[in-house]
């Protein structure tokens, strides 16, 4: 079945540094959704990308969907301690989401 | 405007027992999906309910079953519990649009521990 892979698994950054997580699939992704899960919390929807090559920004967060729709990325500029959490990408194939394993971001103040 | 509510928040069971988890969707939503999240992993799709019927199912055994009520709330039942069923069970609600662009709202989950 569909497999979605994320790298890296963990990332430690100093506050103010940038952070990027990558989402890859061997098959074409339908739509990509990104979620953030704080420690001890539940996934919270961030954004959905639908079109090939799409780029969307939310303040310090930039989301990209690859031209071949087989990869996506989330980039955070100048991380803050409030960015701590695990970031998941998920392939939205109609009625079900296939999640990647997530990238856990830790920010040192 | 109530979000997605799940009960109970924590549950401890022993192997072989049965468990029922409950979910009330966000106001205005008509679709409920259930996900299992093992520690350190991404959520895995169990099944989705719409119009009181199971619309799609993930790769989970028949021990996992569910139900949706006329008020759109839902239950997840797991029979013959195994140690490996220990996980956070997440309920997510959405409004069916038929466009595959539905945004999911997750509840806080039920942490199930099987001893």
């Amino acid at each position: 079945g569909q497999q979605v892979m994320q790298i890296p698994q963990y990332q430690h950054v100093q506050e103010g540094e940038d952070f990027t997580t990558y989402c890859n699939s061997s098959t074409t992704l339908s739509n990509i959704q990104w979620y953030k899960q704080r420690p001890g919390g539940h996934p919270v929807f961030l954004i959905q990308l639908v079109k090939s090559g799409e780029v969307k920004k939310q303040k310090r967060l930039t989301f990209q969907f690859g031209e071949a729709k087989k990869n996506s990325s989330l980039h955070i500029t100048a991380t803050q301690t409030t960015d701590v959490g695990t970031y998941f990408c998920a392939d939205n194939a109609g009625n079900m989401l296939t999640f990647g394993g997530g990238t856990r971001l830790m920010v040192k103040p | 405007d109530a979000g997605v509510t799940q009960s109970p928040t924590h549950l401890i069971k022993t192997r072989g027992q049965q468990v029922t988890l409950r979910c009330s969707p966000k106001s205005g939503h008509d679709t409920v999906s259930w996900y299992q999240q093992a520690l350190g992993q991404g959520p895995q799709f169990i099944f989705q309910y719409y119009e009181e019927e199971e619309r799609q199912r993930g790769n989970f055994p028949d021990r996992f079953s569910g139900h949706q009520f006329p008020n759109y709330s839902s239950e997840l039942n797991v029979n013959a519990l195994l140690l490996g069923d220990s996980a956070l069970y997440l309920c997510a609600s959405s409004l069916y649009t038929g466009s595959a662009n539905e945004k999911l709202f997750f509840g806080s989950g039920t942490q199930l521990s099987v001893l």
Side-chain angles (χ1 to χ4, degrees):
Chain A
Q2 172 76 36
Q3 280 198 321
V4 179
M5 290 146 288
Q6 271 187 265
I7 55 171
Q9 195 172 359
Y10 303 94
Q11 183 84 61
H12 287 84
V13 299
Q14 195 72 40
E15 189 174 20
E17 292 181 337
D18 292 356
F19 160 77
T20 304
T21 173
Y22 300 91
C23 180
N24 298 289
S25 173
S26 57
T27 58
T28 302
L29 299 162
S30 302
N31 302 324
I32 274 286
Q33 294 188 351
W34 285 90
Y35 289 81
K36 176 183 178 181
Q37 187 172 22
R38 293 183 184 276
H42 57 276
V44 174
F45 176 87
L46 295 176
I47 209 159
Q48 175 164 274
L49 304 174
V50 176
K51 299 176 185 175
S52 165
E54 190 170 12
V55 178
K56 287 188 176 180
K57 292 189 177 184
Q58 287 180 350
K59 297 183 181 178
R60 295 179 295 105
L61 278 60
T62 302
F63 303 84
Q64 293 189 327
F65 203 2
E67 291 290 343
K69 296 185 78 173
K70 287 188 175 183
N71 58 77
S72 181
S73 65
L74 158 59
H75 179 82
I76 302 178
T77 303
T79 55
Q80 300 175 358
T81 54
T82 53
D83 295 326
V84 163
T86 302
Y87 292 84
F88 292 99
C89 65
D91 181 32
N92 180 17
N95 301 326
M96 60 178 282
L97 295 181
T98 301
F99 281 83
T103 296
R104 183 178 171 189
L105 172 63
M106 288 155 279
V107 180
K108 289 178 264 185
Chain B
D1 180 18
V4 180
T5 58
Q6 291 187 244
S7 63
T9 55
H10 296 82
L11 205 50
I12 300 175
K13 292 285 190 179
T14 56
R15 279 179 299 174
Q17 285 189 312
Q18 177 265 343
V19 69
T20 298
L21 311 182
R22 295 176 175 82
C23 172
S24 291
K26 180 178 167 64
S27 177
H29 284 184
D30 56 8
T31 303
V32 173
S33 303
W34 287 92
Y35 287 81
Q36 180 196 65
Q37 186 176 25
L39 190 63
Q41 296 183 21
Q44 284 198 314
F45 177 77
I46 304 175
F47 41 54
Q48 184 182 78
Y49 277 85
Y50 172 69
E51 291 188 336
E52 302 179 48
E53 291 191 356
E54 183 182 292
R55 187 159 68 158
Q56 189 153 346
R57 188 179 185 92
N59 189 25
F60 279 79
D62 292 344
R63 298 187 297 109
F64 290 77
S65 63
H67 189 77
Q68 186 179 34
F69 299 93
N71 67 352
Y72 307 118
S73 66
S74 177
E75 287 182 349
L76 163 65
N77 300 294
V78 187
N79 293 325
L81 284 167
L82 303 173
L83 296 180
D85 295 330
S86 296
L88 179 67
Y89 288 85
L90 294 162
C91 169
S93 76
S94 57
L95 176 63
Y96 176 70
T97 62
S99 67
N101 290 325
E102 296 158 20
K103 171 180 167 180
L104 296 190
F105 289 79
F106 282 85
S108 299
T110 294
Q111 185 66 55
L112 173 65
S113 299
V114 182
L115 306 178

